């Protein structure tokens, strides 16, 4: 199975009222009886919708004007992501597995953008949520599934506060969470 830990930064909670601004993805694969982190992907996108929630923009730290000038056209970024997924999943008999930490947020933005541009979503309609997986594997409540709490519970390296909410950094950290949860021995 090839897992793709995906993180998105957006200008608000739901598409198409708000914009998908950046996408990060990190591959996790099984090797023998353990899971290993693989290649990563990153793209920043030009905004195409009018919505910009000030709170969401403060959290992600991305500058809308800079993205209008320098961001990649969304369709091109989605094509790049689909190509990355195909290449990284090559040789696998399984479909690529979308993984998110609060997957409903990230998957909804990715799925909407693929549909908006008439492109096939390389992940399909299924996904794995690491918050839910942590609840089951660790026997904890939903409120205890934050990355900060999982960092302690899973003995992960500390998060870099300067990089939190950068989609590629968050995707890679979420890959560490997935790896630890999948490799956890009962």
């Amino acid at each position: 199975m090839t897992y793709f830990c995906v993180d998105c930064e957006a200008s608000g909670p739901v598409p198409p009222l708000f914009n998908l601004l950046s996408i990060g993805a990190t591959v996790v694969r099984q090797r023998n009886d353990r899971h290993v982190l693989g290649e990563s992907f990153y793209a920043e996108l030009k905004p195409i919708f009018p919505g910009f929630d000030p709170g969401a923009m403060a959290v992600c730290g991305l500058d809308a004007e800079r993205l209008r000038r320098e961001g990649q056209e969304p369709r091109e970024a989605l094509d790049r992501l689909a190509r990355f997924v195909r290449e990284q999943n090559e040789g696998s008999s399984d479909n690529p597995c979308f993984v998110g930490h609060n997957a409903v947020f990230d998957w909804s933005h990715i799925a909407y953008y693929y549909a908006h541009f008439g492109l096939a979503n390389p992940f399909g309609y299924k996904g794995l949520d690491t918050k839910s997986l942590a609840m089951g594997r660790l026997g904890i409540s939903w409120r205890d599934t934050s990355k900060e709490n999982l960092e302690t519970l899973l003995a992960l390296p500390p998060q870099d506060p300067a990089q939190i909410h950068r989609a590629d950094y968050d995707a890679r950290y979420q890959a560490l969470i997935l790896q630890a949860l999948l490799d956890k021995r009962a």
Side-chain angles (χ1 to χ4, degrees):
M1 172 69 67
T2 308
Y3 300 96
F4 292 84
C5 292
V6 179
D7 186 74
C8 300
E9 297 301 326
S11 68
V14 294
L17 301 176
F18 299 96
N19 296 279
L20 176 58
L21 300 176
S22 65
I23 306 167
T26 297
V27 176
V28 176
R29 288 189 178 85
Q30 186 166 356
R31 292 280 186 256
N32 301 318
D33 65 341
R34 308 301 283 172
H35 290 83
V36 297
L37 276 60
E39 299 296 316
S40 292
F41 171 92
Y42 183 67
E44 291 183 347
L45 290 69
K46 287 183 189 259
I48 58 173
F49 299 116
F52 289 90
D53 177 86
M57 296 306 290
V59 166
C60 74
L62 293 167
D63 179 83
E65 290 309 314
R66 183 186 65 77
L67 291 174
R68 283 187 181 101
R69 290 188 314 273
E70 301 171 14
Q72 192 171 20
E73 291 295 333
R75 185 184 186 99
E76 292 171 16
L78 295 170
D79 282 337
R80 278 186 51 230
L81 178 59
R83 192 168 44 255
F84 173 78
V85 170
R86 268 193 316 276
E87 290 167 1
Q88 295 299 313
N89 200 50
E90 192 172 27
S92 174
S93 59
D94 294 318
N95 291 328
C97 182
F98 182 100
V99 180
H101 193 73
N102 196 14
V104 295
F105 175 85
D106 300 294
W107 185 87
S108 70
H109 281 84
I110 294 293
Y112 180 84
Y113 266 66
Y114 273 107
H116 178 78
F117 287 101
L119 301 170
N121 182 342
F123 305 107
Y125 64 91
K126 299 176 184 174
L128 174 63
D129 178 61
T130 53
K131 291 174 75 68
S132 299
L133 181 60
M135 287 177 66
R137 294 289 286 161
L138 303 175
I140 59 177
S141 71
W142 179 258
R143 71 180 164 280
D144 293 329
T145 61
S146 69
K147 285 189 254 179
E148 294 74 20
N149 197 46
L150 293 178
E151 176 184 306
T152 302
L153 292 173
L154 297 170
L156 298 174
Q159 295 179 80
D160 179 353
Q163 294 191 69
I164 292 172
H165 293 298
R166 184 178 150 97
D168 55 345
Y169 177 81
D170 284 355
R172 192 134 193 107
Y173 201 83
Q174 290 162 199
L176 290 173
I177 292 171
L178 178 67
Q179 177 188 41
L181 290 170
L182 292 175
D183 291 347
K184 182 167 178 45
R185 302 294 180 222

